[in-house]
Amino acid sequence: MPEETQDLSLFPLNVVLFPGMRLPLHIFEPRYRLMIGKCLEEEQDFGVLMVRSTPDTEGVSTAYTVGTSARITQVKRLQDGRMNIVTTGVERFRVLRLVQTEPYIVGRIEPFPLEDEESPEVRKLAHRTGQRFVRYLRLVNEVLGSTIDLDVTPRDSMSLAYLIAMAMDIALEEKQGLLSTPGLKALLAKEAMFLSREEILLSRMREIQDSNEGYFRALTQYLSLS
């Protein structure tokens, strides 16, 4: 994306897209078929914005103003005009104003790159947050029976920050808050806070599971002796 304002087709969705994140989409509405068709024809990206959960005063759903540009990497056209596409998040942007609302939304946007504060302090914070992230994934595996395996995290602090943001199972509004964070240091600090909270919750869930398993083992043993 050029380092200047430009007009970008916008796709409001109930998802937060981060740079580097893979996002498959099923395109079925006529206006978005038109939009994606134009993006393919002109080899353009489009922007993904998360829809706000609370409608505005007129009852119309609005979107956040910070989003991520999406690049189409795969397309499967269906006979009735629908499409299955795969996209990848490219760069963050900020919407300055809308320049078109019909048949689809186009906004005047500016790049909103993550401020890369590469310093010993940030690298130390990234290392600690990465370790906490690995512990979080192990707890998720234990408690929820997932099979996420990640023993080594990205060395690049920015890549690590975006990976954590994508992978954490937190509310979409919280993910949007992460996407909207201006700088790398602040982003890692927020993620460390969320990971700490989620570790506590998962640890409690594991304790409850262990307690229940102990109860059922005792009950089974009692019934077998009766």
Side-chain angles (χ1 to χ4, degrees), residues 9 33-44 104:
S9 302
R33 293 186 204 175
L34 181 66
M35 185 189 83
I36 296 300
K38 184 177 180 182
C39 289
L40 290 168
E41 182 181 343
E42 300 181 2
E43 297 184 347
Q44 294 180 342
Y104 52 83

Side-chain angles (χ1 to χ4, degrees), residues 180-217:
S180 303
T181 303
L184 179 57
K185 181 180 178 181
L187 177 57
L188 287 166
K190 285 184 180 180
E191 290 174 339
M193 178 188 68
F194 283 136
L195 287 168
S196 178
R197 181 193 70 186
E198 295 302 305
E199 278 187 68
I200 292 171
L201 292 173
L202 287 166
S203 296
R204 288 176 179 171
M205 290 174 64
R206 185 175 60 183
E207 289 173 4
I208 292 171
Q209 287 178 345
D210 291 344
S211 175
N212 287 340
E213 287 176 4
Y215 168 77
F216 284 117
R217 280 197 300 269

Side-chain angles (χ1 to χ4, degrees), residues 10-17 23-27 29 32 46-52 62-64 70 87 172 176:
L10 301 176
F11 201 160
L13 292 166
N14 193 36
V15 67
V16 180
L17 178 66
L23 178 64
L25 293 170
H26 176 62
I27 310 300
E29 288 188 53
Y32 293 121
F46 62 93
V48 173
L49 293 172
M50 181 182 155
V51 177
R52 290 183 183 273
T62 57
Y64 289 89
T87 69
L172 286 176
Q176 179 64 39

Side-chain angles (χ1 to χ4, degrees), residues 114-132:
L114 186 65
E115 297 170 7
D116 188 0
E117 309 158 26
E118 198 57 52
S119 66
E121 183 183 3
V122 169
R123 286 193 290 271
K124 186 179 294 185
L125 176 59
H127 179 69
R128 290 199 304 266
T129 306
Q131 289 180 321
R132 177 161 277 169

